[in-house]
Amino acid sequence: MLLTKSTFITHMRTMSLLLVAMTTCCCTGKTQGGDTPPEEPERSVTLIFGGDLMQHEGQFKSAARPDGTYDYTGVFDLMAPEIKKADIAIANFEVTLGGPPYKGYPQFCAPDAYLQACIDCGFDVLTTCNNHSVDTYGRGIDRTITMMDSLGVKHLGTYRNQEERDRLYPFIVEHDGIRICLLNYTYGTNGIPVPKPYIVNLIDTAVIAEDIRRAKAMQPDVIICIPHWGDEYKLLPNATQRTLADWLFQQGVDHIIGGHPHVVEPIEVREDSIGKHLLAYSLGNIVSNQSRPNTYGGTMIRMTLTKKEGKTTLTDCGYNLYWVSRPADSGGKKGYVVYPASHPTEGLTTTERTKRETFLKTTRDLFAKHNKGIEEYLMETP
């Protein structure tokens, strides 16, 4: 059959369109089936933050044994299961390990066994930057670092010299592919000068801004600052804490977990276009021999960070409460014991029950009035 010119042109156009369609289909199939990278799996990490790990004279005397050793069995036993459930557990180690003789307030020097007890109950990272960092001078700074290194616990906040700080800080800890940068600073060292060449991270916005810049260059998924700040025994943050918290968030810090007042202060979750930001002004003491109102208890924060499609966000958080019984409260029957709020009251003395109820009521009333975006959860008791 002879094709006319118009029929031939139409036929050729049809063949061209068919060829283009086949080529397009083939290319599309190759891209979808072979070149598209697999979707990155969702990752998560659960963090526990505790408050101040104190060690007064009454505590190490209670732990002393006739053979010269120190035994802290029982102090953290009821809290350990909750701490160990976290992927990473962090607390403030507010004593030095300067070696004997051991001392309590005002210049703390604790037995090495206390550090081991803190590790055994589940803490993975300890901050060493607080107003008691220099209590036993350069010897204490150096030996505390040595002991923590020898026992394999991660730590940050004090350094032997500038070279060591440059090498180890900002501090990065990683779990399940999520990189967490921790920063730690203190308002001061109780008037005791930091001996050279040792370094204690002091709150200085110029230094902190540079540390945050360096931290960002390390490409962490989240930056968490742990400041030692505020007024002792005050249940509300002062103006300096509030101003510094706002500034830290503006600089790119994602979450702030504070300490030092030895009492709990409010917790809030802020939200902006980037995501949610946790701010805890003070978690109080984990354990101490303090007897001032509200010092014989504290709170731990549990937070879950989730990484999806390259973005890490705060997807869950909550707090639990606990209180501390001293030998004076139990009639000398027990040493120092940290009790979760969920622990049964059977077997407690009248003094223990009174202290427990007073602390829990005061704290819950404070949090009901001032907390934002976070709720209490009751931990399971052994």
Side-chain angles (χ1 to χ4, degrees):
M1 181 177 66
L2 295 176
L3 297 177
T4 64
K5 182 179 180 181
S6 61
T7 303
F8 176 80
I9 293 174
T10 301
H11 177 72
M12 291 303 295
R13 285 176 177 173
T14 302
M15 292 297 293
S16 297
L17 290 173
L18 180 60
L19 182 60
V20 169
M22 290 175 64
T23 303
T24 303
C25 180
C26 183
C27 291
T28 303
K30 182 179 179 181
T31 301
Q32 290 178 342
D35 293 345
T36 302
E39 184 177 342
E40 183 180 347
E42 182 175 289
R43 304 176 184 274
S44 68
V45 57
T46 300
L47 306 174
I48 283 278
F49 285 89
D52 301 331
L53 288 161
M54 310 295 293
Q55 185 70 182
H56 292 86
E57 184 176 357
Q59 293 170 263
F60 65 75
K61 283 188 173 181
S62 176
R65 297 297 178 260
D67 63 357
T69 62
Y70 292 84
D71 184 358
Y72 291 92
T73 301
V75 177
F76 303 114
D77 289 4
L78 298 174
M79 302 293 292
E82 179 68 16
I83 298 170
K84 290 178 178 179
K85 279 197 303 185
D87 297 313
I88 304 171
I90 304 158
N92 171 45
F93 194 71
E94 197 158 348
V95 294
T96 64
L97 301 172
Y102 305 121
K103 296 181 180 180
Y105 182 83
Q107 290 181 246
F108 295 110
C109 183
D112 298 341
Y114 184 57
L115 172 61
Q116 186 64 62
C118 296
I119 297 171
D120 290 344
C121 79
F123 286 112
D124 306 292
V125 180
L126 296 174
T127 58
T128 58
C129 180
N130 50 67
N131 59 309
H132 290 285
S133 296
V134 198
D135 279 3
T136 48
Y137 312 105
R139 178 186 86 254
I141 296 174
D142 196 300
R143 195 173 182 282
T144 301
I145 293 171
T146 297
M147 289 305 302
M148 290 188 173
D149 287 344
S150 69
L151 294 177
V153 63
K154 298 178 176 66
H155 57 90
L156 69 150
T158 57
Y159 304 92
R160 294 187 180 94
N161 50 53
Q162 186 64 50
E163 184 278 331
E164 186 174 79
R165 186 184 192 272
D166 291 343
R167 179 166 50 86
L168 301 176
Y169 193 83
F171 176 89
I172 297 286
V173 62
E174 186 171 338
H175 177 82
D176 194 23
I178 299 178
R179 288 168 54 82
I180 300 164
C181 176
L182 299 178
L183 303 174
N184 178 214
Y185 305 92
T186 179
Y187 72 92
T189 55
N190 290 347
I192 304 175
V194 180
K196 295 181 179 180
Y198 297 99
I199 294 176
V200 175
N201 286 346
L202 298 177
I203 294 176
D204 180 323
T205 53
V207 173
I208 297 174
E210 174 60 17
D211 289 340
I212 293 173
R213 185 195 67 77
R214 291 180 59 218
K216 290 178 179 178
M218 300 167 76
Q219 298 184 321
D221 295 295
V222 64
I223 301 175
I224 302 176
C225 187
I226 307 171
H228 205 71
W229 59 359
D231 297 322
E232 289 184 316
Y233 318 122
K234 300 296 184 182
L235 295 175
L236 294 176
N238 61 30
T240 301
Q241 286 170 276
R242 296 180 186 276
T243 300
L244 182 57
D246 291 341
W247 181 84
L248 287 169
F249 284 137
Q250 291 167 5
Q251 298 303 306
V253 168
D254 296 289
H255 310 287
I256 303 170
I257 312 291
H260 169 63
H262 303 302
V263 297
V264 297
E265 292 181 343
I267 309 167
E268 61 185 69
V269 177
R270 301 183 180 184
E271 189 167 4
D272 57 21
S273 58
I274 299 174
K276 295 181 178 180
H277 308 279
L278 182 61
L279 168 59
Y281 285 106
S282 173
L283 302 185
N285 294 325
I286 296 179
V287 63
S288 77
N289 191 44
Q290 291 185 314
S291 57
R292 287 173 179 255
N294 309 309
T295 59
Y296 43 84
T299 181
M300 284 198 312
I301 286 181
R302 183 176 67 195
M303 60 189 297
T304 300
L305 303 173
T306 302
K307 183 176 182 179
K308 186 175 182 180
E309 297 177 356
K311 183 178 181 181
T312 303
T313 57
L314 175 66
T315 51
D316 186 45
C317 62
Y319 64 88
N320 62 64
L321 301 178
Y322 53 85
W323 62 281
V324 179
S325 174
R326 304 176 302 162
D329 306 321
S330 64
K333 298 177 183 178
K334 302 185 289 286
Y336 292 77
V337 180
V338 187
Y339 285 97
S342 54
H343 193 272
T345 58
E346 288 80 8
L348 300 180
T349 66
T350 300
T351 301
E352 288 176 312
R353 292 187 186 190
T354 299
K355 283 187 59 176
R356 173 188 184 275
E357 293 308 314
T358 300
F359 172 75
L360 293 180
K361 183 179 187 310
T362 300
T363 304
R364 284 169 175 160
D365 288 348
L366 174 77
F367 282 180
K369 185 175 181 180
H370 296 283
N371 279 11
K372 299 177 182 177
I374 188 169
E375 300 293 336
E376 179 183 0
Y377 71 92
L378 296 177
M379 70 176 72
E380 298 178 7
T381 56

